[in-house]
Amino acid sequence: MNYKLPAIIQGGMGAGVSGWRLARAVSQTGQLGVVSGTALDVILARRLQLGDPDGHVLRALELFPISGVAERILDRYYVPGGKSKDEPFRVKPMSSLESSRMVDDLLVAGNFVEVFLAKEGHQGQVGINYLEKIQLPTLASLYGAMLAGVDWVLMGAGIPKSVPGILDQLAEGQPVELKMNVFGAEAEDQFVSRFEPQVFSQGQVSKLARPKFAAIVAAATLASMLLKRSNGRIDGFIVEGPTAGGHNAPPRGKTQLNEAGEPIYGERDLAKAEAFRKLGLPFWLAGSYGTPERVLEAVDAGAAGVQVGTAFAYCEESDLVDEIKNRVLQATATDQVRVFTDPVASPAGFPFKVVQLENTLSEKAIYDERLRVCDLGYLRHAYRKENGGLGWRCPAEPVDEYLRKGGREEDTCGRKCICNALLGNIGLEQVQKDGSHERFLVTSGDDACGLWRFLKPGSLRYSAADVVDYLLSPLTAREIAAKPALAFDGPLD
Ligand SMILES: Cc1cc2nc3c(=O)[nH]c(=O)nc-3n(C[C@H](O)[C@H](O)[C@H](O)COP(=O)(O)O)c2cc1C
């Protein structure tokens, strides 16, 4: 069987911005739709507490292939008719190294549901995107996505050198482990997370298809190191530049800030397509590639195509709440969008692009009003405790707790709880103990300033298919079809 490489990859956008609706709509155009794999456990639990009004989640759970899992999740989280607006969501247990049945159930089923729904009713390919930095949920998440037949796994924000081999092992039903990055760990320490497919599935599932794997990188040196050191097959690279939405790789060398306080990127930070061509694998360019001219430019440089995020984030099928879409699209129509590359906001430690929007957490005064709390914990850092055990801390958690765990006060300054804010952006915000609702913090690439190009007079709506049609305008599509560089078609395992 052959597969055709997509010219357009709709980038994975967390948390939940590229949900199954968006990925499905893109896949149906013949391009690669990608769901975000971040926080799908809590997204599943919260959608069920809102009563799953359209019944899609319930339908997918009914088809979950391992008995008992869906029943346990529904027992604990399903609220027929939905919770009231001011009632808090039930707190989900955080992941830890010791696996817990409910944590694994939610991770496996959450990833299954998202991919299953994105793939339902058509033949297009669907990918899932993870951040390497978020390690604890990775193994169970990959398994859940593979149970639903995910076609591609894309991973950035780190060095995912052991993931290709993990995909091979999961496909064979073998137990897998992932070494944790632990601050202060000593040579003899063994901090690993484990997942055993046969135990989880009680022998009900044996072999699965091995998805293709693409690493998201900012530099060819990292790509080349991954090719040498990874423990399994890599099928391509996404090359992401510093104007892309979400997290960005820091500038090379010592970070310097401009007057506004943003990291300064230079020529050295722009990856060279030439270096990627030499690696011999398909690659896609990302970061402000959302126009037909830029698509052609990428293809001319030898890329298989482009990965685009921001343009898809504001289309009808994305799961950003309408209020955010409308406000940003209205502002883009009058040229008033400003995107700030915040060097410290994200606890992940990478620069993070933030759309400056009144009354959201982009404003310091609004953030300072927020009750500092860490109850989701995806971006916590692992550290070695004095007694040799494993501890977890987040620089956005209450400062005294962070200090008690040995963290440094300066690391807490300007940090924002992205986990809670991003869930708010997709309408799943928590109601905290003081009765406050978590607020928005919106990320987008610099391309947010040009979104007016998708708007028709009198309307703030456009679809994922509009974006694909625009990017592959007839001229572009014809030229792409004629490019020998795109003859990367290869056998599917
Ligand atoms: C709202 C939003 C969320 C994103 N979240 C992620 C993410 O969770 N993981 C990731 O690898 N990339 C993420 N990205 C980056 C996109 O996948 C894509 O590479 C990028 O948006 C491409 O650049 P562009 O924004 O200029 O189109 C995000 C982008 C946006 C706009």
Side-chain angles (χ1 to χ4, degrees):
M1 196 185 2
N2 282 324
Y3 66 91
K4 182 120 191 74
L5 287 176
I8 310 294
I9 299 178
Q10 161 259 306
M13 295 179 280
V17 171
S18 60
W20 62 267
R21 280 188 187 80
L22 175 55
R24 182 165 187 272
V26 174
S27 297
Q28 284 179 308
T29 71
Q31 303 304 321
L32 183 62
V34 179
V35 295
S36 164
T38 305
L40 286 175
D41 49 350
V42 75
I43 289 176
L44 171 63
R46 290 190 181 181
R47 282 184 187 152
L48 290 172
Q49 288 168 83
L50 292 183
D52 186 31
D54 300 327
H56 297 300
V57 175
L58 292 176
R59 185 174 75 255
L61 280 178
E62 242 170 61
L63 293 167
F64 187 76
I66 300 164
S67 54
V69 176
E71 292 76 1
R72 282 192 294 274
I73 291 175
L74 291 174
D75 265 2
R76 192 166 172 88
Y77 293 105
Y78 181 46
V79 178
K83 74 168 188 74
S84 72
K85 192 167 172 9
D86 291 328
E87 197 184 331
F89 284 109
R90 192 168 187 162
V91 174
K92 179 200 78 66
M94 285 196 205
S95 295
S96 71
L97 268 197
E98 298 71 42
S99 70
S100 112
R101 188 75 222 190
M102 186 45 78
V103 168
D104 283 351
D105 280 353
L106 280 173
L107 284 169
V108 177
N111 280 264
F112 171 86
V113 165
E114 209 66 14
V115 174
F116 172 88
L117 291 173
K119 284 183 75 77
E120 197 182 22
H122 64 93
Q123 297 298 314
Q125 300 221 337
V126 167
I128 193 159
N129 172 293
Y130 299 103
L131 300 172
E132 196 273 341
K133 270 232 155 179
I134 303 184
Q135 291 189 301
L136 278 176
T138 301
L139 299 176
S141 297
L142 287 170
Y143 184 66
M146 287 171 69
L147 276 180
V150 75
D151 300 288
W152 283 86
V153 168
L154 302 91
M155 194 179 270
I159 306 175
K161 63 181 188 322
S162 56
V163 175
I166 287 170
L167 296 177
D168 294 334
Q169 288 169 296
L170 285 175
E172 293 298 319
Q174 293 166 1
V176 283
E177 51 180 55
L178 179 67
K179 190 165 180 287
M180 298 283 110
N181 300 324
V182 178
F183 181 83
E186 296 181 0
E188 65 278 12
D189 285 333
Q190 280 290 326
F191 296 120
V192 287
S193 81
R194 297 193 167 82
F195 183 81
E196 295 193 49
Q198 290 304 324
V199 174
F200 183 86
S201 73
Q202 297 140 30
Q204 293 170 55
V205 177
S206 45
K207 299 202 172 187
L208 296 167
R210 196 269 196 192
K212 294 180 280 297
F213 178 77
I216 305 170
V217 297
T221 42
L222 175 56
S224 139
M225 187 275 264
L226 274 171
L227 280 178
K228 283 194 200 101
R229 301 235 196 110
S230 95
N231 59 354
R233 194 186 77 224
I234 296 178
D235 300 276
F237 292 104
I238 316 283
V239 187
E240 208 185 59
T243 62
H247 288 100
N248 302 131
R252 298 244 197 130
K254 193 172 170 349
T255 298
Q256 298 197 344
L257 304 180
N258 64 17
E259 269 176 22
E262 299 171 294
I264 301 175
Y265 290 90
E267 192 54 31
R268 285 200 310 156
D269 299 303
L270 303 177
K272 308 276 176 299
E274 177 61 27
F276 279 90
R277 256 201 327 246
K278 287 192 186 139
L279 297 177
L281 285 182
F283 61 95
W284 290 262
L285 300 182
S288 303
Y289 277 88
T291 64
E293 295 78 18
R294 292 285 274 164
V295 177
L296 272 184
E297 195 186 301
V299 170
D300 281 340
V306 299
Q307 171 166 288
V308 172
T310 301
F312 286 109
Y314 292 88
C315 75
E316 286 167 41
E317 294 91 343
S318 107
D319 278 332
L320 275 182
V321 294
D322 284 343
E323 182 187 337
I324 295 178
K325 287 186 197 170
N326 292 342
R327 285 182 62 187
V328 172
L329 289 174
Q330 240 149 22
T332 181
T334 49
D335 213 7
Q336 285 172 353
V337 175
R338 164 107 179 84
V339 177
F340 179 73
T341 307
D342 194 322
V344 293
S346 172
F350 294 118
F352 187 65
K353 287 258 181 325
V354 178
V355 183
Q356 304 300 290
L357 276 182
E358 239 174 68
N359 245 329
T360 70
L361 300 177
S362 67
E363 297 193 319
K364 183 172 180 313
I366 300 284
Y367 195 79
D368 289 344
E369 281 171 14
R370 176 181 180 269
L371 181 72
R372 223 168 150 120
V373 58
C374 177
D375 52 3
L376 290 166
Y378 294 100
L379 294 174
R380 288 174 304 164
H381 306 181
Y383 69 98
R384 185 184 197 276
K385 295 204 255 188
E386 269 172 22
N387 66 7
L390 184 63
W392 293 93
R393 63 189 178 212
C394 177
E397 74 183 318
V399 177
D400 51 346
E401 280 177 39
Y402 186 71
L403 300 184
R404 192 173 46 73
K405 296 176 188 169
R408 297 182 315 171
E409 186 154 13
E410 58 266 39
D411 293 340
T412 65
C413 297
R415 297 286 176 198
K416 297 187 171 171
C417 176
I418 295 205
C419 295
N420 269 297
L422 295 191
L423 284 165
N425 294 351
I426 57 167
L428 297 178
E429 82 280 3
Q430 182 59 295
V431 182
Q432 291 298 0
K433 279 202 201 87
D434 60 356
S436 60
H437 286 243
E438 292 283 0
R439 315 277 275 266
F440 305 144
L441 182 73
V442 182
T443 180
S444 290
D446 292 359
D447 190 24
C449 305
L451 291 174
W452 49 265
R453 66 189 184 278
F454 296 108
L455 302 179
K456 295 182 195 77
S459 168
L460 288 176
R461 287 166 76 87
Y462 61 94
S463 67
D466 290 339
V467 178
V468 173
D469 283 350
Y470 168 74
L471 296 176
L472 297 179
S473 63
L475 173 71
T476 331
R478 214 168 39 238
E479 295 207 22
I480 286 177
K483 288 280 167 202
L486 290 187
F488 286 119
D489 296 9
L492 198 62
D493 281 351

